[in-house]
Amino acid sequence: MADIVIVGAGHGGAQCAIALRQAGFEGTVTIVGRECEPPYERPPLSKEYFAREKTFDRLYIRPPQFWEEKGVCLMLGIEVTAIDPASKQLTLSDGSSFGYGKLVWATGGDPRKLPVPGGSLSGVHGVRTREDCDTLMGEIDGGVKNICVIGGGYIGLEAAAVLTKMGCKVTLLEALPRVLARVAGPELSAFYEKEHRDHGVDLRTGATVEALEGEGRVTGVRLGDGSVIVSVTDTGIGIAPEDQEAIFEEFRQVGTTYAQKREGTGLGLTLTKRFVEMHGGRIWVESELTKGSTFTFTLPIKPWPTN
Ligand SMILES: Cc1cc2nc3c(=O)[nH]c(=O)nc-3n(C[C@H](O)[C@H](O)[C@H](O)COP(=O)(O)OP(=O)(O)OC[C@H]3O[C@@H](n4cnc5c(N)ncnc54)[C@H](O)[C@@H]3O)c2cc1C
């Protein structure tokens, strides 16, 4: 049991615990996180960490000992699988229960799975966690040289740039007519397309992926025009928020209505921060949404406090 339990040991969850202590909160605080690492920054994963210019210890949001010094308990490598708001109990993936006084839900998002046949073959990697990056880097160390990056958003472009710099032969596929189409104007898209091509990336726009080919392990990417690219595949097609409908259903049942419904494809959705605090029947939601993403909330949502 902790006075405040924060679910999600990402930047949002970590910053929430830091802010509580900075504000003088003296109660018990526990962060439950699915990953095994103390909170770390994700942006370097597709930049300096991927390029091996920074070691992982330089990505920590705070040094590991900070949490103990501040009396913040980290429960890592554990997932919250259910919430019982009536008894204020969480069910954890190891089967145990954990009580809370107040609950902060800071679970961020997960990479979208490629919705095509072969999307879960081995050799298909996301770029979201340290584990994702370490696995991909291990493949490169093992001799993989041909890599297909699917998705011409920021993460896909960053990964393509670093992989090229590392000597890989990179093909980047973007389904839309230009890269960064949802976040930048045509001039900026054209600039990045040229930069990448000038540095040797085989960058193809309007390229739809029909299927990933291979027996057990990916060997190629089949495109809508029938052509096949031989590769290991790295996906950067955006994230889907951790909806975890089953968990939120519990809230609905006790009359605290919360629903979040993502409409459209969600492609290009950048949910850079999600912080939900539930207290006394109020819900605050903070998020940054890119154009083209639609969120529908069914609830009286109070405006974010201005002071
Ligand atoms: C490769 C990469 C590069 C990026 N570059 C930039 C950049 O240059 N600039 C920028 O502004 N942003 C960038 N971002 C985005 C930025 O990292 C995110 O906005 C930020 O990580 C969001 O933090 P968060 O805490 O809300 O969620 P997350 O970082 O997603 O953290 C949520 C955590 O909750 C855990 N979790 C989920 N469900 C459960 C559960 N049921 N129980 C327990 N734990 C759970 C997850 O495992 C995860 O560790 C980048 C992201 C990536 C992946």
Side-chain angles (χ1 to χ4, degrees):
M1 157 82 193
D3 295 323
I4 295 184
V5 174
I6 300 166
V7 183
H11 211 143
Q15 194 54 48
C16 177
I18 293 167
L20 282 167
R21 289 298 185 228
Q22 281 173 344
F25 180 73
E26 291 179 350
T28 48
V29 178
T30 293
I31 302 179
V32 184
R34 190 168 56 192
E35 291 176 68
C36 295
E37 310 293 344
Y40 63 93
E41 307 211 15
R42 294 193 200 284
L45 288 181
S46 53
K47 306 176 185 74
E48 299 94 328
Y49 182 66
F50 210 16
R52 301 171 204 233
E53 291 163 1
K54 263 189 186 175
T55 49
F56 189 75
D57 56 315
R58 294 180 59 199
L59 273 50
Y60 289 128
I61 288 168
R62 290 288 187 279
Q65 64 274 19
F66 168 90
W67 305 105
E68 199 179 339
E69 285 165 13
K70 295 292 174 187
V72 175
C73 175
L74 298 182
M75 293 173 69
L76 301 174
I78 296 180
E79 188 171 8
V80 171
T81 55
I83 305 168
D84 180 355
S87 63
K88 297 197 165 188
Q89 290 285 320
L90 302 175
T91 304
L92 307 179
S93 48
D94 63 3
S96 64
S97 300
F98 197 75
Y100 63 87
K102 290 193 173 66
L103 184 67
V104 177
W105 194 256
T107 55
D110 266 350
R112 295 179 63 235
K113 303 274 181 288
L114 265 179
V116 297
S120 49
L121 285 170
S122 93
V124 180
H125 306 279
V127 185
R128 182 78 192 164
T129 63
R130 174 191 191 177
E131 193 184 353
D132 292 337
C133 290
D134 287 353
T135 310
L136 185 51
M137 284 152 75
E139 296 229 14
I140 293 163
D141 290 344
V144 165
K145 285 287 169 230
N146 286 342
I147 300 196
C148 181
V149 176
I150 301 177
Y154 281 118
I155 293 175
L157 287 170
E158 286 170 1
V162 173
L163 290 164
T164 306
K165 204 168 147 190
M166 287 161 68
C168 296
K169 180 177 177 304
V170 178
T171 306
L172 186 142
L173 305 175
E174 168 54 55
L176 294 174
R178 59 186 175 89
V179 301
L180 299 176
R182 287 200 164 88
V183 293
E187 295 81 3
L188 205 53
S189 297
F191 171 81
Y192 280 112
E193 286 170 9
K194 182 172 180 324
E195 275 292 300
H196 277 68
R197 287 186 176 124
D198 285 352
H199 285 83
V201 177
D202 176 5
L203 189 152
R204 307 187 196 182
T205 53
T208 50
V209 175
E210 289 277 300
L212 303 188
E213 300 190 335
E215 300 271 324
R217 181 177 168 81
V218 68
T219 53
V221 180
R222 180 152 42 85
L223 301 185
D225 64 6
S227 58
V228 175
I229 299 159
V230 178
S231 72
V232 159
T233 301
D234 160 24
T235 65
I237 57 168
I239 62 165
E242 281 277 356
D243 282 330
Q244 294 171 335
E245 283 296 327
I247 288 178
F248 286 119
E249 182 59 27
E250 304 273 353
F251 285 106
R252 289 191 199 107
Q253 283 169 11
V254 292
T256 313
T257 327
Y258 172 88
Q260 182 188 53
K261 184 177 161 214
R262 192 161 47 88
E263 295 178 346
T265 63
L267 192 71
L269 169 73
T270 309
L271 188 61
T272 55
K273 203 172 173 192
R274 180 170 165 208
F275 177 97
V276 180
E277 183 187 10
M278 305 193 63
H279 174 51
R282 292 188 304 170
I283 291 185
W284 291 343
V285 176
E286 181 189 306
S287 65
E288 294 167 32
L289 304 175
T290 54
K291 209 166 68 176
S293 303
T294 313
F295 269 68
T296 309
F297 296 98
T298 62
L299 228 208
I301 294 177
K302 305 260 167 152
W304 191 252
T306 48
N307 53 9

